[in-house]
């Protein structure tokens, strides 16, 4: 905590000072990283669970930092969101992803995560559509994932953005479904194409009966809304079987593979005849 020092100056306790210094250092490193183009898209397979067929990829951001190594987004996305860096970072990642995905089999979709901060920007839809035009990637194969957090922060703006993207043929998924506070009315009134069940629920699925019931409840909610479902975080054959017994879903998770960089993804597609 902040305390008043002997001479009336504020000083920070060592732990907080260290934390602050680290944050500032991290912010500076992220800025340099953007300038030096150190951020790269990784891709996680999305599978039709019934047929086992690969149907697309979710792009997940990674930071290839000479200082810190390969950094996960939970570390840098929150900092980028606080410092107005997220839009620039996201634009550069999506551009790279669209160019990578152009080389994939035309049946495969590309899905990207959009921050609540971006969903507040009234120009966001135009900027995203511009990227599709620029790269020549078909909107029908493109999907955005937005979280429930976006909805309670800026519902009006979310409605405008999702409606205009949907009109251009882009698909809209509600990410981390079940972890937020979206009301049924909100879900019904926004043009969602799909729900993604958060991996925390999928992890519970094979834990005990309560976990399984919870997932069942979420699934029937989705079915009640007439929305197809993707389950994330499928790690075991057991979880996969449990999901398959609940319905026909898409899914992703370490059972199928970890997120991989563009060239590894390309090699994977070449092996399966999907490039
Ligand atoms: P998310 O969208 O819920 O993505 C799923 C996360 O779960 C990813 O972590 C993925 O690597 C991880 N995962 C996938 N399968 C499994 C599994 O079977 N078991 C376990 N334990 N984990 C699994 P990652 O890549 O660290 O991403 C974390 C979050 O960062 C994402 O959560 C997403 O919200 C955010 N994020 C990633 N890339 C971007 C981006 O470009 N823009 C924005 N705004 N957010 C991003
Ligand atoms: Ca996601
Ligand atoms: Ca998330
Ligand atoms: Ca999630």
């Amino acid at each position: 905590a902040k305390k008043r020092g002997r001479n009336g100056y504020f000083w920070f306790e060592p732990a907080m000072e260290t934390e602050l210094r680290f944050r500032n250092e991290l912010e500076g490193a992220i800025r340099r990283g953007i300038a030096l183009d150190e951020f790269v898209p990784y891709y996680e397979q999305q599978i039709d669970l019934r047929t086992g067929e690969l149907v697309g990829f979710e792009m997940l951001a990674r930071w290839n930092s000479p200082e810190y190594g390969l950094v996960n987004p939970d570390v840098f996305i929150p900092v980028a969101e606080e410092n107005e860096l997220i839009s620039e970072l996201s634009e550069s990642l999506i551009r790279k992803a669209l160019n990578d995905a152009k080389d994939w089999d035309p049946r495969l979709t590309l899905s990207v995560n959009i921050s609540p901060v971006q969903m507040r920007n009234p120009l966001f839809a135009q900027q995203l559509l511009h990227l599709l035009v620029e790269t020549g990637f078909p909107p029908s194969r493109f999907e955005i994932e937005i979280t429930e957090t976006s909805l309670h922060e800026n519902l009006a703006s979310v409605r405008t953005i999702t409606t205009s993207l949907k009109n251009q043929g882009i698909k809209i998924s509600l990410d981390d479904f079940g972890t937020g506070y979206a009301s049924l009315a909100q879900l019904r009134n926004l043009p969602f194409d799909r729900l993604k069940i958060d991996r925390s629920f999928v992890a519970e699925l094979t834990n005990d009966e309560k976990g399984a019931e919870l997932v069942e409840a979420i699934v029937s909610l989705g079915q009640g809304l007439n929305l197809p479902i993707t389950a994330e975080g499928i790690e075991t054959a057991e979880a996969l079987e449990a999901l398959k017994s609940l319905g026909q879903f898409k899914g992703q998770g370490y059972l199928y593979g970890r997120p991989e960089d563009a060239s590894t993804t390309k090699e994977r597609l070449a092996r399966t005849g999907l490039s």
Side-chain angles (χ1 to χ4, degrees), residues 84-131:
E84 323 265 299
L85 297 170
I86 187 70
S87 299
E88 190 185 346
L89 179 58
S90 179
E91 179 178 330
S92 123
L93 283 163
I94 294 175
R95 181 179 287 113
K96 287 179 189 174
L98 290 167
N99 281 316
D100 289 339
K102 259 199 312 195
D103 290 345
W104 303 341
D105 183 284
R107 284 167 295 182
L108 297 171
T109 58
L110 171 69
S111 200
V112 304
N113 294 285
I114 304 298
S115 155
V117 173
Q118 294 170 283
M119 295 303 287
R120 263 187 241 142
N121 171 9
L123 294 178
F124 174 71
Q126 263 169 274
Q127 291 166 352
L128 193 60
L129 290 167
H130 180 79
L131 275 180

Side-chain angles (χ1 to χ4, degrees), residues 175-176 196-200 232:
D175 205 359
D176 296 354
K196 292 192 74 176
I197 300 185
D198 191 59
R199 70 179 142 94
S200 58
E232 41 167 59

Side-chain angles (χ1 to χ4, degrees), residues 3 14 30 56 87 113 122 138 201 203-204 210 247 264:
K3 289 186 183 159
I30 291 172
S87 299
N113 294 285
F201 299 116
E204 299 246 344
K210 277 227 152 58
T264 312

Side-chain angles (χ1 to χ4, degrees), residues 69-192:
L70 192 67
V71 185
N72 279 349
D74 289 335
V75 174
F76 59 82
I77 296 283
V79 179
E81 285 175 338
E82 274 168 31
N83 298 291
E84 323 265 299
L85 297 170
I86 187 70
S87 299
E88 190 185 346
L89 179 58
S90 179
E91 179 178 330
S92 123
L93 283 163
I94 294 175
R95 181 179 287 113
K96 287 179 189 174
L98 290 167
N99 281 316
D100 289 339
K102 259 199 312 195
D103 290 345
W104 303 341
D105 183 284
R107 284 167 295 182
L108 297 171
T109 58
L110 171 69
S111 200
V112 304
N113 294 285
I114 304 298
S115 155
V117 173
Q118 294 170 283
M119 295 303 287
R120 263 187 241 142
N121 171 9
L123 294 178
F124 174 71
Q126 263 169 274
Q127 291 166 352
L128 193 60
L129 290 167
H130 180 79
L131 275 180
L132 292 174
V133 172
E134 178 195 311
T135 56
F137 193 80
S140 59
R141 288 171 55 201
F142 189 62
E143 190 172 300
I144 66 166
E145 303 187 1
I146 65 177
T147 59
E148 283 182 73
T149 317
S150 299
L151 308 187
H152 61 94
E153 281 178 14
N154 12 259
L155 189 58
S157 155
V158 168
R159 177 169 291 122
T160 314
I161 291 170
T162 51
T163 304
S164 68
L165 292 178
K166 174 108 176 185
N167 285 339
Q168 302 296 316
I170 292 172
K171 306 281 192 315
I172 322 280
S173 289
L174 182 61
D175 205 359
D176 296 354
F177 179 59
T179 64
Y181 307 93
S183 71
L184 280 179
Q186 285 170 347
L187 295 182
R188 215 182 276 286
N189 288 325
L190 288 165
F192 290 116

